[in-house]
Amino acid sequence: MKNNWMTILFLVSVNSIPSGKCSCKFQESNGEEVTCSKMSSIDDINRQLYDMSGDQFRSLKLSGSSIHNLVLSKLSVLPQLHQLSTKFSSIHKLSFQTMKGIVVPMRELDLSSSNLKEIYSYTFKNFRDLRTLNIGNNELSDFNAHIFSGLNGLKKLSLYRNKIKSIPPNLFEDLVSLETLDVDSNLIQTLDQVSFTSLKSLKHLNLSNNELKEVPSDIFHRLPQIVELRLEHNGISNINETAFDSLISLKYLYLSQNSLKHLHCDAITEIGTLEKLYLKGSGIEGHSNTCFNGSNNLNELDVSSNRIRELPSLPRNLKVLIIFGNNIRHLYPGAFSKSSQLRKIYLANNELREIEFRAFDDLPNLEELYLHGNKLRHCESGIFRRLQRLKILNLSFNKLERIAYELFHLAQLEDLNLSNNQLKNITNNAFSNLPSLKRLHLSHNEIGDLPNGMFTNLKFTNELRLDYNNIRYLQNSCFEGLERLMILNLSYNDIISIHHKAFNGLVSVHYINLSYNELQYVDGELFESLPNLSVVNLDGNLLHDLSLEVFKNVPSLTAIAIDGNEIDEAVVEQFYARYKNYHLPSIHNYSW
C-alpha cells in the first residue's frame, strides 16, 4: 500500500503545471513551517514543493489561494505533515480519496475562513491521528453522511460561523474522544434528543449565537462529563426544569442575552456542581427569592442588565456578584448576611437611593465594591466600617452632596472614586482614615475650596484628580501630606491665584495639569520645591507673560504645554526650544 501512495504522489508531481504567480517559502521564525501563496490547484502546490521534498517541514499554510476542489490525498507532502491550514483561502469543496491501511499523521487541520461549501463523505477517514479540526467561518449549511467518520481520536471540533440549521442524528457518532465542540454563530433552531448522545468525552459545548427558543429535557442527558455549557445570545424563553439534571460535572453555565423573563429555579438549583452562572441581559423580571441560595458551590453569579428589583438571596460561598444595570432601589441591613465570602460586588447602574446602616456589615472579605451610576444623595457615616479588606470603592456618577464624618474608615482602601457627583465642601478630615489610599478621583464635582490638612494622612497616594471643579484659589501647602503623589490634575477649574508655596511637599510629583483655568500670572517660586517634576500643562489660561526663569530651578522638567494663552509667539518658541512640546505623541504618555 505504501508503494501505491508513492506512485500517486509521483504522478501528481510529474504532471504538475507551472505557475508564475504562486510561491512557497519557509517561515523565518519557524524552520518547520512552509507558506504557499496564491495557489490555484493541487498541481501548483506540488510543483512549488517539489524542490523542498528533502526538507522535513511539518506545517503547511495555504494563504490567499483559490482551489475549487481540494483533494487532500493528492497533496504530495501529506505523509509528513502534522499541521495544515487553508485559512483565508477559497476552497469550495474538500475531499479525500480513501485508501485502505493508510493513516495520515496530521494532528491539526485548520480549514477556517476558506469559503467551504461542501465536505464530501469520508473525507477524514484516514485522519485517525487528527486531534484538532477547525471548519469555522465557512459557508456550510448541510452535512454529508459520515463526514466525520474515522476521527475517533479528535479532541476539538470547531464549526462556528457557518449556516448550519440543524444537527443531523449520528453526525458525531465516531467522535468518542471529542472534548470541545464549538457550534457558535449558526442558525440552529432546535436540537434533536440524539444530537450529542455519542459524545461521551465532551467537556465544553458552545451553542451560543444561534436561534434556539427553548431547552427541552433530555437534550444533554448523556453528557455526564460536560464542564462548560454556553447557550448565550439565543432566543431562549423556556428552560425545562430537568434540562440540566444529567450534567453532573457542569461548572460553568452561560445563559446571558436570552429572553427568559421568569427563571425556573429548579433548572438551576439541581446543578450541585455549578461554580459560575451567567444570566446577563436575559430579561429576568421575577424569580424566587431562594433561586440561587441552594447552589453551594456557586462562586460567581452574573445577573446584570435585567429588571431585578430586589437583591435575591445569595449562596453562602459566592465570591463575585455582578448585578449592575437592574432596578434595585434599596439595600436593607444584613443584605449580604448569608454570603460572607464575597470578594467583589458590582451594584453599579441600578436605582439605589438608600443604603441602610449595616447593609455591608457581614462582608469581612470584600475587596471591591462598585456603586457608581446610582442615585445616592447621602451615605450614612459608618456604612462601610466593617469592610476592612476593601481595596476599591467606586461611588462615581451619583448625586452625593457631602461626605459624612468618618464615612471612609478603611485601612486597606487603595482606590476611591467620587467623581461626577455634586460635592461642594469637603472637610479636612474626610480622608484622614485612608492610610493605604493610592488613587483619589474627585473630578466633575462642585468643589470650591481645598482646606488645609485635607490630604495630610494620604502618604501613599500617587494620583489625585481634581479636574472639572470650581476651585479658584490654591492656598499655602494645601497638598501637604502627599509626599508620594506623582500625578496631579487641576485642569478645567476657575483657578485665578496660586500661593507660591501651594505645592510644597510634593517631592515625588512628575506631572501637574493646570490647563484651562484663569491664571494670569505664575510665581517664580511656584515650582521650585518639586525636584521630580517633568511635565507641566498650562494650556488655555490667560497668561500674558511667562519667563523661562520660572522653571530654572526645576531640574527634571522635560516637557511643557503653554498653547491657548496670550503669550508672544517668540516667547512660546523659546520655551519649545528648551523644553519638549507636551503635545508631541512621543512624550504624551500621561492619561490625564
Side-chain angles (χ1 to χ4, degrees):
M1 186 55 65
K2 182 177 180 181
N3 290 335
N4 291 339
W5 178 282
M6 295 306 295
T7 300
I8 291 171
L9 298 184
F10 175 75
L11 290 173
V12 169
S13 298
V14 168
N15 294 320
S16 61
I17 302 173
S19 172
K21 296 181 180 180
C22 54
S23 64
C24 293
K25 62 180 180 179
F26 279 101
Q27 294 299 307
E28 294 181 2
S29 59
N30 186 352
E32 292 189 349
E33 180 179 304
V34 171
T35 297
C36 293
S37 302
K38 299 180 180 180
M39 300 291 155
S40 59
S41 68
I42 287 285
D43 290 342
D44 280 345
I45 302 170
N46 289 332
R47 181 184 62 80
Q48 290 292 330
L49 293 176
Y50 182 74
D51 292 336
M52 299 179 179
S53 58
D55 299 304
Q56 292 301 306
F57 58 89
R58 296 287 181 263
S59 178
L60 174 63
K61 290 186 177 182
L62 305 180
S63 176
S65 298
S66 181
I67 304 173
H68 182 74
N69 184 6
L70 179 60
V71 184
L72 291 172
S73 50
K74 292 184 178 181
L75 191 61
S76 62
V77 294
L78 192 64
Q80 70 186 53
L81 291 182
H82 288 179
Q83 294 177 314
L84 172 63
S85 172
T86 64
K87 192 172 185 179
F88 303 128
S89 288
S90 184
I91 312 293
H92 290 185
K93 296 181 180 180
L94 187 74
S95 61
F96 186 91
Q97 293 179 355
T98 304
M99 289 170 285
K100 189 175 180 180
I102 295 295
V103 177
V104 179
M106 194 174 299
R107 309 277 295 181
E108 182 177 340
L109 179 55
D110 186 356
L111 301 165
S112 64
S113 304
S114 297
N115 200 29
L116 264 175
K117 293 180 172 62
E118 183 178 6
I119 301 177
Y120 286 93
S121 300
Y122 300 106
T123 290
F124 308 111
K125 183 72 173 179
N126 294 96
F127 289 71
R128 297 175 190 173
D129 290 339
L130 197 65
R131 295 295 179 264
T132 302
L133 175 58
N134 188 347
I135 319 178
N137 199 28
N138 281 294
E139 301 292 322
L140 296 172
S141 57
D142 299 305
F143 293 100
N144 291 314
H146 308 292
I147 187 176
F148 299 119
S149 178
L151 296 178
N152 304 92
L154 193 68
K155 298 289 185 181
K156 183 176 180 179
L157 174 60
S158 299
L159 294 167
Y160 59 87
R161 291 180 190 161
N162 277 280
K163 297 178 180 180
I164 303 167
K165 294 181 179 180
S166 63
I167 298 177
N170 305 318
L171 177 65
F172 305 125
E173 63 179 345
D174 278 13
L175 306 183
V176 293
S177 300
L178 195 70
E179 296 180 356
T180 300
L181 174 59
D182 186 354
V183 202
D184 183 17
S185 299
N186 278 280
L187 305 172
I188 300 172
Q189 295 182 358
T190 59
L191 295 171
D192 192 280
Q193 290 188 357
V194 295
S195 294
F196 308 113
T197 52
S198 60
L199 302 177
K200 306 297 184 182
S201 302
L202 196 65
K203 295 181 180 180
H204 307 277
L205 175 57
N206 189 351
L207 287 161
S208 301
N209 294 289
N210 277 281
E211 298 178 6
L212 296 170
K213 303 300 180 186
E214 63 174 344
V215 183
S217 61
D218 299 331
I219 292 296
F220 309 115
H221 69 297
R222 295 186 183 179
L223 299 175
Q225 302 301 322
I226 284 281
V227 173
E228 179 184 47
L229 177 58
R230 305 192 73 115
L231 291 163
E232 68 262 45
H233 288 276
N234 276 280
I236 299 171
S237 59
N238 181 47
I239 299 176
N240 188 279
E241 294 180 5
T242 63
F244 306 128
D245 280 5
S246 300
L247 302 180
I248 58 175
S249 302
L250 190 64
K251 292 184 179 181
Y252 314 113
L253 178 56
Y254 298 80
L255 290 166
S256 297
Q257 304 299 332
N258 280 290
S259 304
L260 294 173
K261 290 187 179 179
H262 296 278
L263 182 64
H264 294 295
C265 294
D266 289 345
I268 304 298
T269 55
E270 295 300 319
I271 312 174
T273 56
L274 198 62
E275 295 181 4
K276 296 183 179 182
L277 174 60
Y278 301 95
L279 289 159
K280 179 182 179 180
S282 291
I284 299 174
E285 296 177 356
H287 57 80
S288 169
N289 194 44
T290 60
C291 204
F292 308 112
N293 65 359
S295 305
N296 292 329
N297 288 308
L298 196 66
N299 58 56
E300 184 167 329
L301 174 62
D302 184 351
V303 288
S304 59
S305 302
N306 284 290
R307 300 186 183 95
I308 299 171
R309 296 186 178 184
E310 295 182 4
L311 191 72
S313 183
L314 302 170
R316 64 169 180 251
N317 292 314
L318 194 67
K319 291 180 173 60
V320 179
L321 173 61
I322 306 171
I323 197 168
F324 64 79
N326 281 284
N327 299 325
I328 298 171
R329 296 189 175 192
H330 177 250
L331 291 182
Y332 51 86
F336 304 96
S337 60
K338 296 181 181 179
S339 302
S340 60
Q341 298 302 312
L342 274 166
R343 302 288 196 276
K344 301 178 182 180
I345 296 178
Y346 298 84
L347 265 163
N349 300 315
N350 274 277
E351 300 289 328
L352 278 174
R353 290 171 169 80
E354 181 182 11
I355 301 176
E356 288 196 43
F357 191 65
R358 300 185 184 280
F360 301 118
D361 273 14
D362 302 292
L363 296 168
N365 298 298
L366 195 68
E367 296 179 356
E368 300 179 19
L369 178 57
Y370 300 91
L371 293 165
H372 53 282
N374 280 285
K375 298 180 179 180
L376 296 170
R377 292 187 178 277
H378 172 68
C379 287
E380 187 175 349
S381 180
I383 64 170
F384 304 120
R385 64 194 177 99
R386 296 289 184 89
L387 305 180
Q388 290 307 303
R389 293 189 180 180
L390 196 67
K391 293 184 178 180
I392 298 175
L393 176 57
N394 193 336
L395 284 160
S396 63
F397 291 95
N398 276 282
K399 298 181 179 181
L400 296 174
E401 297 178 354
R402 65 185 182 88
I403 298 175
Y405 177 69
E406 291 195 342
L407 176 62
F408 306 120
H409 206 294
L410 302 166
Q412 295 190 37
L413 194 71
E414 296 180 0
D415 195 320
L416 176 58
N417 193 337
L418 290 162
S419 64
N420 293 275
N421 277 282
Q422 298 171 12
L423 297 171
K424 296 180 180 178
N425 299 311
I426 300 179
T427 60
N428 59 1
N429 58 5
F431 309 116
S432 60
N433 294 306
L434 299 172
S436 302
L437 196 68
K438 294 181 180 179
R439 291 167 291 277
L440 178 56
H441 296 195
L442 291 165
S443 57
H444 290 275
N445 277 285
E446 300 172 18
I447 300 169
D449 297 306
L450 301 179
N452 285 332
M454 181 175 173
F455 307 112
T456 301
N457 294 329
L458 302 183
K459 299 185 183 301
F460 292 95
T461 301
N462 52 51
E463 298 179 11
L464 175 58
R465 293 191 61 163
L466 284 160
D467 47 306
Y468 291 95
N469 277 284
N470 301 327
I471 302 168
R472 292 184 64 80
Y473 303 98
L474 296 181
Q475 305 176 41
N476 182 7
S477 302
C478 59
F479 298 106
E480 183 180 2
L482 295 170
E483 57 194 50
R484 287 182 173 82
L485 191 71
M486 298 179 68
I487 300 175
L488 174 60
N489 193 343
L490 290 157
S491 63
Y492 292 96
N493 277 278
D494 302 316
I495 301 173
I496 60 174
S497 176
I498 304 177
H499 191 279
H500 67 279
K501 293 186 177 180
F503 298 139
N504 273 15
L506 300 182
V507 293
S508 301
V509 74
H510 285 198
Y511 172 68
I512 294 179
N513 190 345
L514 286 162
S515 63
Y516 299 97
N517 281 283
E518 298 181 15
L519 290 171
Q520 298 183 37
Y521 170 76
V522 176
D523 192 281
E525 299 179 23
L526 182 60
F527 302 110
E528 278 190 355
S529 60
L530 309 177
N532 290 296
L533 182 64
S534 58
V535 178
V536 174
N537 190 343
L538 289 164
D539 281 344
N541 279 280
L542 303 175
L543 298 170
H544 292 273
D545 185 31
L546 186 65
S547 172
L548 285 167
E549 294 296 307
V550 172
F551 303 99
K552 68 177 182 180
N553 294 321
V554 187
S556 299
L557 191 66
T558 58
I560 195 168
I562 54 174
D563 295 348
N565 284 280
E566 299 177 17
I567 304 171
D568 186 86
E569 190 62 33
V571 176
V572 173
E573 290 180 4
Q574 290 177 9
F575 268 92
Y576 290 150
R578 177 174 296 186
Y579 304 108
K580 295 177 182 178
N581 185 339
Y582 170 68
H583 298 295
L584 293 176
S586 60
I587 65 164
H588 197 186
N589 295 323
Y590 295 93
S591 61
W592 295 357

